[in-house]
Amino acid sequence: MLVPTTGSEVTPVSIITVGDEEKRGVSSPLILPDLAILDPGITIGLPPAITAATGVDAMVHAIEAYASKSANNNPVSRVLAREALRLLGANIETAVFDGRNVAARGAMLLGSMLAGQAFANSPVAAVHALAYPIGGTFHVPHGLSNALVLPHVLRFNAPCAAQLYAEIAADAFPHLASEEGTQARCAAFIEELAGLSKKLGMQTRLREVNIGEEHLAKMAADAMKQTRLLVNNPREVSEADALAIYRAAW
Ligand SMILES: [Fe+2]
């Protein structure tokens, strides 16, 4: 049985650090619990910074699952991703700034679970691939690592995924429904996500988590090792692309 604080209860995946700095995924049905209880009460004491980082991570799960190039991306995973984004987008600010709000905490748990089910079917991609070197080498929490590269990876993906991002934009941020046109709505979605990190008090640049510019080239080389994730990205990522994304995020 699991009593989780994120969506990992519904995925067969566990991430472990190998050696000093490499993060690798282990996937086995044995990891899935027979029973998981989502109890918002146990997340009440979670500090704002961790609530923000894990909440954004769950949103990334839904976004990457929805746009995943995986052959397992299917109508069910897409419905799960969209409902997850509705719950997470509507409740993340309340959960961060009013941490004792049980309804918001419960909605975040449910959204995280649905996003977990979405990406257990339709796996995540370059945001996670580029986040791993940030977490593995510099021990930045997973959710924050994702948030730091999220807008930059989505901007890179936009030429291939604008339609998909435009489809889910108003799920996470309902006011974007008034944004006319695929390109404009996609761009507004990415800007909202970048603004959300700032609004939630998270660091938004790699330099703010003490990553020196001299490390970016090795990070790009390390990110390329995440082939199991990169194959799912809507746009092919080369090492030079990864470096350009890190530079933009720096
Ligand atoms: Fe994640």
Side-chain angles (χ1 to χ4, degrees):
M1 185 177 83
L2 278 184
V3 185
T5 56
T6 70
S8 55
E9 70 278 14
V10 287
T11 79
V13 180
S14 181
I15 304 298
I16 51 171
T17 303
V18 181
D20 286 336
E21 51 185 55
E22 192 184 349
K23 288 206 172 195
R24 282 204 209 155
V26 180
S27 183
S28 165
L30 294 173
I31 296 172
L32 284 166
D34 297 322
L35 178 69
I37 296 175
L38 303 183
D39 177 2
I42 67 159
T43 70
I44 292 290
L46 210 55
I50 300 175
T51 304
T54 51
V56 170
D57 182 39
M59 293 178 80
V60 174
H61 294 159
I63 295 165
E64 293 213 284
Y66 191 83
S68 181
K69 236 173 52 179
S70 162
N72 285 331
N73 188 340
N74 63 73
V76 177
S77 66
R78 290 195 288 278
V79 166
L80 290 164
R82 295 191 71 167
E83 183 58 19
L85 276 181
R86 285 185 199 109
L87 286 163
L88 297 166
N91 289 283
I92 191 166
E93 286 182 52
T94 307
V96 170
F97 294 115
D98 178 16
R100 305 201 68 79
N101 187 315
V102 177
R105 292 286 196 182
M108 292 301 290
L109 266 181
L110 189 56
S112 300
M113 185 199 73
L114 297 174
Q117 289 178 329
F119 90 81
N121 283 276
S122 177
V124 293
V127 179
H128 274 76
L130 270 72
Y132 281 136
I134 302 171
T137 306
F138 299 96
H139 308 294
V140 173
H142 174 71
L144 176 57
S145 305
N146 274 300
L148 288 164
V149 292
L150 172 64
H152 307 286
V153 173
L154 296 199
R155 271 184 212 119
F156 170 80
N157 287 347
C160 298
Q163 177 64 39
L164 297 168
Y165 295 153
E167 282 167 14
I168 56 175
D171 294 332
F173 308 106
H175 67 276
L176 296 184
S178 63
E179 204 69 51
E180 298 283 351
T182 300
Q183 300 302 331
R185 196 181 288 194
C186 167
F189 177 54
I190 298 169
E191 290 318 307
E192 282 290 334
L193 287 167
L196 180 63
S197 293
K198 209 174 285 177
K199 218 185 287 179
L200 297 177
M202 302 167 81
Q203 291 101 325
T204 57
R205 309 208 65 87
L206 294 176
R207 67 183 82 176
E208 292 171 29
V209 293
N210 301 319
I211 296 179
E213 202 175 6
E214 69 277 15
H215 298 294
L216 302 184
K218 179 176 180 296
M219 289 161 60
D222 287 346
M224 298 314 288
K225 293 179 193 158
Q226 299 289 339
T227 47
R228 75 183 173 93
L229 302 174
L230 291 171
V231 291
N232 304 315
N233 201 56
R235 182 176 173 189
E236 199 173 323
V237 184
S238 69
E239 191 171 329
D241 295 329
L243 183 56
I245 291 168
Y246 282 136
R247 284 199 197 289
W250 191 75

